[in-house]
Amino acid sequence: GVVALYEPAAVVAGGEPKALKEFMNVRTAITALAFNHSSELLAFASKYAKASMRVAHLATRRVYPNWPTSKTPLKYVQSFAFSPGSGYLSFGNDKGAALLYRLNHFEAA
C-alpha cells in the first residue's frame, strides 16, 4: 500500500497535485490511518498482513525504522488510535487483544 502526502493548498486548488512524499513501507492495501492530535505523526496499517503497521514523522517525512520491531506482538492490526494528547497509541488486533503503547515524546495522555 502507498500513503501519499500532499501540500493542502495544492489539493484545494484542484487538478492533479504532486505528492510531497510517498510512504511505501507496507506491502498490502492500507486499511487504516490516523494523525495524532498535532498532525506531527501519521500512523498507517494493513489488516491483510501480519505486523503491517508503521508510524511516520511528518516534519521529516520519515517512517520510524525502530518500531514496530519483529518482537512487537501486533499480529494483524484491525484498528488503532492516538490518545487525545498523543501520549499513548492503542491497537486492536485479530486476536481480540488491545495493545497500549506509551509515546514518551508527548507528556499529555
Side-chain angles (χ1 to χ4, degrees):
V2 176
V3 176
L5 183 64
Y6 296 96
E7 183 65 45
V11 174
V12 172
E16 292 186 30
K18 184 178 178 188
L20 297 172
K21 174 72 176 178
E22 290 181 340
F23 299 109
M24 296 184 276
N25 302 81
V26 175
R27 295 183 180 209
T28 55
I30 302 299
T31 55
L33 61 92
F35 291 94
N36 75 323
H37 81 286
S38 63
S39 297
E40 184 178 346
L41 303 178
L42 173 62
F44 51 97
S46 175
K47 66 180 179 181
Y48 301 117
K50 193 173 186 180
S52 288
M53 186 271 152
R54 299 292 180 266
V55 178
H57 183 253
L58 297 181
T60 59
R61 299 183 189 153
R62 293 180 177 250
V63 171
Y64 287 100
N66 60 339
W67 195 85
T69 68
S70 60
K71 295 183 189 274
T72 307
L74 294 178
K75 307 291 185 223
Y76 293 86
V77 175
Q78 303 297 305
S79 62
F80 57 86
F82 290 97
S83 65
S86 300
Y88 294 92
L89 181 55
S90 178
F91 300 91
N93 67 24
D94 64 316
K95 302 295 183 193
L99 308 167
L100 184 64
Y101 292 92
R102 177 75 171 103
L103 303 178
N104 292 324
H105 176 75
F106 300 97
E107 289 184 23

